[in-house]
Amino acid sequence: MVIKNVSLETVIGVSSKIPENSMIEIAFAGKSNVGKSSLINTLMNRKSLARTSSQPGKTQTINFYNINDLLYFVDLPGYGYAKANIQEKEKWGKMVERYLHQSKMLRAIFLLIDIRHDPSANDKQMYEWILSNGYHPIIIATKADKIKRSQLQKQISAIRQGIHVEDKTIVIPFSAQTKQGKEDIYELIDSLMEQAGGE
């Protein structure tokens, strides 16, 4: 996959209508501070198009990035920020659930989990919630450069066991620093686009 043109096309908030797009969508979910913006920027070959919020948990919009006029990267707001109040968490849940239910073009959800730590209760809940909404998450294990190479498989196993993933779930270790995993994710996106072309 060669990314030539990227633009932030649509931003929707709690009360906004879900756009009826004609191109496939790939969504990115993850808790605050997991490196979601870094992953999206790396995939888009941009330094700061996907913005990191100065206050974790404050991003309360769903952002649609048009990639090559072929597909959308959909950046879902980060979850699990401890200081977010209950009302904010409920709004987040309803907005994301509305998107999952109403999008006709969503083909995959990448769920980001920090490879350095065992999955949190929020990660487990999110994984199960995505499954219950009819999708099979692809796990992106972020910050892979922060652990020794010899620990990689052990940490991937910990993620698999920690959220009780389905047998065929793909787990891709990723680093925004070294670009490890970038080509694997591109290949996956290419295959999703091929499948969509055959639908």
Side-chain angles (χ1 to χ4, degrees):
M1 181 175 194
V2 179
I3 292 187
K4 295 174 181 172
N5 303 304
V6 174
S7 63
L8 174 56
E9 188 171 293
T10 312
V11 177
I12 66 167
V14 174
S15 58
S16 307
K17 188 172 181 289
I18 304 295
E20 293 183 15
N21 292 322
S22 57
M23 303 185 300
I24 72 164
E25 299 166 2
I26 294 171
F28 296 78
K31 68 182 180 186
S32 303
N33 292 338
V34 76
K36 187 157 53 66
S37 296
S38 297
L39 167 64
I40 294 171
N41 283 325
T42 299
L43 293 177
M44 295 192 300
N45 295 321
R46 300 293 187 276
K47 283 195 173 162
S48 60
L49 189 56
R51 300 221 172 264
T52 51
S53 173
S54 56
Q55 288 182 282
K58 283 294 179 190
T59 307
Q60 293 294 322
T61 56
I62 299 176
N63 301 332
F64 291 76
Y65 295 93
N66 182 330
I67 311 295
N68 290 347
D69 288 325
L70 291 173
L71 77 153
Y72 289 101
F73 286 171
V74 182
D75 185 6
L76 303 176
Y79 60 84
Y81 184 55
K83 290 184 181 175
N85 64 38
I86 290 168
Q87 285 88 350
E88 283 176 347
K89 288 175 182 174
E90 283 180 358
K91 277 185 197 169
W92 180 93
K94 284 175 183 167
M95 179 168 64
V96 174
E97 191 162 39
R98 195 159 53 89
Y99 168 66
L100 295 184
H101 287 170
Q102 292 181 18
S103 170
K104 294 181 174 65
M105 300 306 291
L106 180 59
R107 294 295 178 268
I109 300 173
F110 290 150
L111 177 60
L112 281 64
I113 295 176
D114 189 327
I115 199 167
R116 299 172 298 176
H117 311 295
D118 289 342
S120 67
N122 280 318
D123 291 327
K124 293 175 196 172
Q125 194 176 6
M126 190 65 188
Y127 179 80
E128 288 165 7
W129 192 58
I130 293 169
L131 281 179
S132 71
N133 277 282
Y135 295 93
H136 302 276
I138 295 154
I139 308 296
I140 308 294
T142 62
K143 309 192 182 186
D145 58 292
K146 307 285 189 194
I147 62 169
K148 292 177 182 170
R149 194 171 282 274
S150 58
Q151 293 178 300
L152 202 64
Q153 291 309 317
K154 176 175 167 279
Q155 291 306 110
I156 288 172
S157 295
I159 288 172
R160 286 185 175 281
Q161 290 164 12
I163 53 176
H164 308 296
V165 299
E166 298 174 307
D167 287 344
K168 292 180 182 176
T169 299
I170 297 166
V171 179
I172 299 176
F174 172 79
S175 164
Q177 300 298 320
T178 66
K179 308 297 185 280
Q180 176 186 355
K182 181 179 177 181
E183 292 305 321
D184 295 328
I185 297 170
Y186 278 164
E187 283 179 23
L188 200 54
I189 293 170
D190 284 338
S191 69
L192 288 166
M193 292 184 69
E194 283 171 23
Q195 288 168 25
E199 285 178 3

